[in-house]
């Protein structure tokens, strides 16, 4: 996709928290019927993807359940594409992964996007020294500021600047573009059905 087209789609994603959240909302509100163009769906289902070739290559060489292998391998490959989308979002906005990760934690708290430094370090699994080094870099770039808490002068709060929030939001929009590209082949009913199936699988793992 060309940069101009991608930027247009990124702008159109403005106002959404994330593409994933927006897709979830659409799925929850979708009708149960799949609808869409059945001819296009049939063509897509009959086309061969890399997992079909993977299964053909290994069939008869190792014992495995074909449907299970097809599902798990496709989930793994889609997860890689999600990761690539995140990398593209960082590249488009000029952020490093650790910068985005820290700002994302702050932005999740809502305005004024602030948290105690010690609390932030615990969430990010950083030592006090590691947190200090990270904040030094972010503050130097104008993305965060450090404030002494009014109630306890020993406590240091970290707050996103307006520029930091703008850069974080821009990265989230680019993520939304990548997520939309991935989910675009499915209509609303199919997205709802897929979300329900994946939820059932995840719940089974999380509740063991």
């Amino acid at each position: 996709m060309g940069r101009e087209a991608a930027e247009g789609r990124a702008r159109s994603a403005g106002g959404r928290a994330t593409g994933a959240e927006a897709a979830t909302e659409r799925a929850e509100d979708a009708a149960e019927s799949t609808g869409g163009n059945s001819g296009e769906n049939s063509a897509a289902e009959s086309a061969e993807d890399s997992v079909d070739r993977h299964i053909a290559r290994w069939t008869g060489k190792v014992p495995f359940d074909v449907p299970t292998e097809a599902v798990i391998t496709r989930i793994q490959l889609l997860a890689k594409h999600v990761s690539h989308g995140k990398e593209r979002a960082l590249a488009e906005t000029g952020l490093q992964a650790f910068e985005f990760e820290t700002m994302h934690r702050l932005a999740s708290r809502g305005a004024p996007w602030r948290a105690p430094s010690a609390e932030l370090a615990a969430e990010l699994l950083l030592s006090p020294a590691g947190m200090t080094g990270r904040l030094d870099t972010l503050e130097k770039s104008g993305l965060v500021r450090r404030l002494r808490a009014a109630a306890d002068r020993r406590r240091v709060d970290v707050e996103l600047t307006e520029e930091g929030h703008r850069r974080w939001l821009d990265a989230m929009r680019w993520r939304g573009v990548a997520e939309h590209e991935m989910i675009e082949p499915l209509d609303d009913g199919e997205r709802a059905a897929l979300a329900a199936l994946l939820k059932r699988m995840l719940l089974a793992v999380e509740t063991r």
Side-chain angles (χ1 to χ4, degrees):
M1 179 175 65
R3 180 180 175 86
E4 290 183 2
E7 288 177 345
R9 296 176 76 169
R11 287 193 295 271
S12 70
R16 297 179 301 178
T18 67
E21 290 176 358
T24 299
E25 291 174 2
R26 290 194 303 271
E28 290 174 349
D29 295 336
E32 295 195 3
S33 61
T34 56
N37 189 317
S38 58
E40 291 181 3
N41 291 342
S42 297
E45 290 169 4
S46 63
E48 184 181 70
D49 67 4
S50 60
V51 177
D52 292 321
R53 294 188 289 275
H54 160 78
I55 290 173
R57 183 167 59 251
W58 285 101
T59 296
K61 299 174 182 175
V62 293
F64 62 86
D65 177 71
V66 171
T68 299
E69 182 73 8
V71 169
I72 298 302
T73 306
R74 286 189 174 102
I75 288 175
Q76 291 173 333
L77 291 176
L78 287 169
K80 287 184 179 180
H81 284 286
V82 171
S83 179
H84 292 160
K86 292 179 179 179
E87 292 171 0
R88 189 177 82 179
L90 293 176
E92 292 288 352
T93 52
L95 293 172
Q96 298 185 62
F98 79 87
E99 292 174 324
F100 175 84
E101 182 182 21
T102 307
M103 293 193 296
H104 194 61
R105 297 282 182 170
L106 291 169
S108 70
R109 287 164 165 80
W113 319 307
R114 183 188 302 159
S117 176
E119 182 179 302
L120 201 58
E123 290 184 14
L124 295 168
L125 304 179
L126 290 172
S127 66
M131 188 75 249
T132 297
R134 179 174 293 198
L135 293 178
D136 285 345
T137 301
L138 286 162
E139 196 166 37
K140 186 176 180 180
S141 299
L143 302 175
V144 305
R145 64 174 65 90
R146 281 177 278 199
L147 308 166
R148 289 289 175 182
D152 183 356
R153 301 296 295 175
R154 295 171 298 177
R155 193 183 86 190
V156 176
D157 286 342
V158 184
E159 181 178 279
L160 272 182
T161 62
E162 289 292 335
E163 173 65 10
H165 186 259
R166 185 194 66 77
R167 295 276 295 281
W168 167 81
L169 189 59
D170 199 22
M172 293 300 287
R173 288 171 179 156
W174 278 104
R175 282 190 175 200
V177 169
E179 291 165 359
H180 176 76
E181 288 174 346
M182 182 174 293
I183 203 76
E184 191 174 22
L186 306 181
D187 63 33
D188 285 344
E190 290 168 332
R191 295 177 194 189
L194 179 59
L197 292 171
L198 291 173
K199 179 179 180 179
R200 192 190 308 172
M201 292 174 63
L202 186 57
L203 279 172
V205 174
E206 292 180 339
T207 57
R208 283 179 182 172

